[in-house]
Amino acid sequence: GDSLEQASALLEHVVAVDDRYGPAWRLLAKTYSARAWYGFLPLHQGFARARAAIQRAIDIDPSDAAAVAVLSNLALSYDMNLPESARLLKRALSLAANDESVLAAAGTMAIATGDGKRSIAISEELVRRDPLNGNSWAGLGFAYVVFGRYADAIAALRKALELEPDAVFTHEVLGEALLLSGDLDGALAEMQREPHDTMRSLGL
């Protein structure tokens, strides 16, 4: 929470200095969205700020595929508007199919539509591109959990925690993988290690 708040403050300073710098608006939208998603900002307020910031980025550069991908994610995770999210994702893919933010959005869409093969393939590709990114390993672990590959999920999530020991949600998802694979003691231990209060309560 503190790091995301600091990121928002820094990016707000950047756009105050140069309000035509689209990448800063895009990243600011991602910080607002993450803060809302993780419960560090009031939900509607955080996503409203995210939408305004990402729309600003797209107004500055309509060809910014990563920005369009962020808007696609907002349509999916906040509006729960699958057709609109799919339309925006198709546009982002047409602009830059190999952009990592676009690929990540495509992976999220694949999970939402139950396409396990595509979701896992994209998540594995993101890890291959950036093997020191704990968030990518956590995303891969989550995809494995959703589609029943619990042993693979446990390995990926342990790697994520090796890289980012204090990351929120990861201990809880690892706990779910352990629970579903039958390791009740291990699952309980991971749930208790989860730093996010709500997710820890949910896991327990």
Side-chain angles (χ1 to χ4, degrees):
D2 291 341
S3 61
L4 286 169
E5 186 175 352
Q6 183 182 10
S8 292
L10 290 166
L11 289 159
E12 286 163 357
H13 178 69
V14 172
V15 297
V17 171
D18 182 1
D19 74 349
R20 295 286 303 169
Y21 186 52
W25 282 109
R26 181 196 339 122
L27 193 54
L28 182 58
K30 292 178 76 171
T31 66
Y32 288 148
S33 178
R35 290 169 68 191
W37 180 253
Y38 292 126
F40 300 133
L41 266 181
L43 184 73
H44 302 305
Q45 178 191 105
F47 279 114
R49 288 186 190 178
R51 190 181 306 281
I54 203 59
Q55 192 58 60
R56 178 66 177 145
I58 292 170
D59 289 345
I60 293 166
D61 182 5
S63 68
D64 184 346
V68 177
V70 171
L71 192 56
S72 172
N73 278 333
L74 283 174
L76 182 63
S77 63
Y78 180 65
D79 300 329
M80 297 186 183
N81 186 337
L82 191 62
E84 177 64 6
S85 179
R87 184 189 70 79
L88 290 163
L89 179 60
K90 184 177 180 180
R91 179 179 159 201
L93 287 165
S94 73
L95 291 167
N98 286 316
D99 180 272
E100 290 180 11
S101 295
V102 175
L103 279 176
T108 300
M109 176 63 75
I111 288 179
T113 56
D115 189 343
K117 184 176 181 181
R118 178 165 168 74
S119 170
I120 288 169
I122 290 171
S123 298
E124 288 175 341
E125 171 64 11
L126 290 170
V127 163
R128 188 192 67 76
R129 291 185 181 200
D130 190 1
L132 298 181
N133 187 329
N135 191 54
S136 293
W137 281 101
L140 175 59
F142 179 72
Y144 283 146
V145 171
V146 170
F147 297 106
R149 291 175 54 175
Y150 304 132
D152 290 332
I154 290 164
L157 292 161
R158 290 199 190 284
K159 180 65 176 179
L161 288 167
E162 176 186 321
L163 293 166
E164 296 181 15
D166 299 323
V168 296
F169 285 33
T170 309
H171 283 287
E172 195 280 335
V173 177
L174 175 55
E176 288 187 31
L178 291 164
L179 182 66
L180 291 164
S181 65
D183 182 356
L184 305 187
D185 291 337
L188 178 60
E190 289 302 329
M191 301 304 189
Q192 290 170 332
R193 292 187 185 104
E194 172 58 52
H196 191 285
D197 291 342
T198 303
M199 292 303 289
R200 183 171 62 254
S201 297
L202 175 66
L204 291 170

